Amino acid sequence: MSGSNVWSRSRERLRVFPELLAQCADEAAVYGKCVAATTTGNQELKKDLCAKEFEALKTCFTNAEKKEAKVNNRI
Protein backbone atom coordinates (compact mmCIF):
# COMPACT_ATOMS: atom_id res chain seq x y z
CA MET A 1 0.00 0.00 0.00
CA SER A 2 1.30 3.38 -0.93
CA GLY A 3 1.69 6.09 1.68
CA SER A 4 0.77 8.72 -0.89
CA ASN A 5 -2.88 7.61 -0.82
CA VAL A 6 -3.04 8.38 2.89
CA TRP A 7 -1.72 11.89 2.28
CA SER A 8 -4.08 12.45 -0.62
CA ARG A 9 -7.10 11.53 1.48
CA SER A 10 -5.87 13.71 4.34
CA ARG A 11 -5.35 16.68 2.03
CA GLU A 12 -8.80 16.22 0.54
CA ARG A 13 -10.43 16.13 3.97
CA LEU A 14 -8.61 19.29 4.99
CA ARG A 15 -9.58 20.95 1.72
CA VAL A 16 -13.31 20.41 2.27
CA PHE A 17 -13.29 21.03 6.03
CA PRO A 18 -14.06 24.78 5.79
CA GLU A 19 -17.08 24.03 3.60
CA LEU A 20 -18.34 21.39 6.02
CA LEU A 21 -17.78 23.68 8.99
CA ALA A 22 -19.77 26.42 7.27
CA GLN A 23 -22.66 23.99 6.78
CA CYS A 24 -22.50 23.00 10.47
CA ALA A 25 -21.93 26.44 11.97
CA ASP A 26 -24.89 26.25 14.34
CA GLU A 27 -23.90 22.84 15.73
CA ALA A 28 -20.26 23.94 16.05
CA ALA A 29 -21.32 27.05 17.98
CA VAL A 30 -23.47 25.02 20.37
CA TYR A 31 -20.63 22.56 20.98
CA GLY A 32 -18.14 25.39 21.47
CA LYS A 33 -20.41 27.11 23.97
CA CYS A 34 -20.81 23.85 25.89
CA VAL A 35 -17.04 23.34 26.04
CA ALA A 36 -16.48 26.95 27.09
CA ALA A 37 -19.18 26.75 29.76
CA THR A 38 -17.81 23.53 31.25
CA THR A 39 -14.22 24.78 31.35
CA THR A 40 -14.66 28.13 33.05
CA GLY A 41 -12.00 29.01 35.58
CA ASN A 42 -9.63 26.14 36.28
CA GLN A 43 -12.03 23.35 35.41
CA GLU A 44 -10.87 20.75 32.93
CA LEU A 45 -13.05 19.36 30.19
CA LYS A 46 -14.16 15.87 31.15
CA LYS A 47 -15.33 13.12 28.88
CA ASP A 48 -19.03 13.09 28.01
CA LEU A 49 -19.86 16.52 29.48
CA CYS A 50 -20.73 17.76 25.98
CA ALA A 51 -21.41 14.37 24.40
CA LYS A 52 -24.88 15.31 23.11
CA GLU A 53 -23.54 18.48 21.44
CA PHE A 54 -20.55 16.61 20.01
CA GLU A 55 -22.78 13.89 18.55
CA ALA A 56 -24.95 16.54 16.90
CA LEU A 57 -21.84 18.16 15.38
CA LYS A 58 -20.46 14.79 14.26
CA THR A 59 -23.79 13.87 12.64
CA CYS A 60 -23.90 17.23 10.87
CA PHE A 61 -20.35 16.76 9.51
CA THR A 62 -21.21 13.25 8.32
CA ASN A 63 -24.36 14.42 6.54
CA ALA A 64 -22.59 17.44 5.04
CA GLU A 65 -19.77 15.22 3.79
CA LYS A 66 -22.29 12.88 2.13
CA LYS A 67 -23.96 15.86 0.42
CA GLU A 68 -20.58 17.13 -0.72
CA ALA A 69 -19.68 13.71 -2.13
CA LYS A 70 -22.94 13.56 -4.10
CA VAL A 71 -22.30 17.01 -5.58
CA ASN A 72 -18.72 16.12 -6.53
CA ASN A 73 -19.73 12.84 -8.16
CA ARG A 74 -22.25 14.60 -10.43
CA ILE A 75 -19.63 16.89 -11.93
Side-chain angles (χ1 to χ4, degrees):
M1 182 188 308
S2 174
S4 65
N5 287 337
V6 171
W7 292 111
S8 295
R9 288 191 308 262
S10 295
R11 272 191 234 111
E12 179 61 18
R13 285 184 177 179
L14 287 174
R15 185 189 69 73
V16 299
F17 183 74
E19 297 168 23
L20 300 179
L21 185 58
Q23 293 179 39
C24 298
D26 293 339
E27 290 84 352
V30 169
Y31 177 65
K33 286 177 184 175
C34 179
V35 170
T38 58
T39 58
T40 56
N42 292 331
Q43 294 176 336
E44 292 184 23
L45 182 62
K46 295 188 176 144
K47 185 177 179 179
D48 295 333
L49 284 178
C50 298
K52 181 179 81 173
E53 293 83 354
F54 178 77
E55 282 301 318
L57 179 58
K58 182 178 168 184
T59 300
C60 183
F61 275 138
T62 302
N63 292 338
E65 189 174 29
K66 287 177 185 176
K67 288 178 191 173
E68 188 71 27
K70 284 182 181 179
V71 169
N72 289 336
N73 287 335
R74 289 183 189 165
I75 297 174

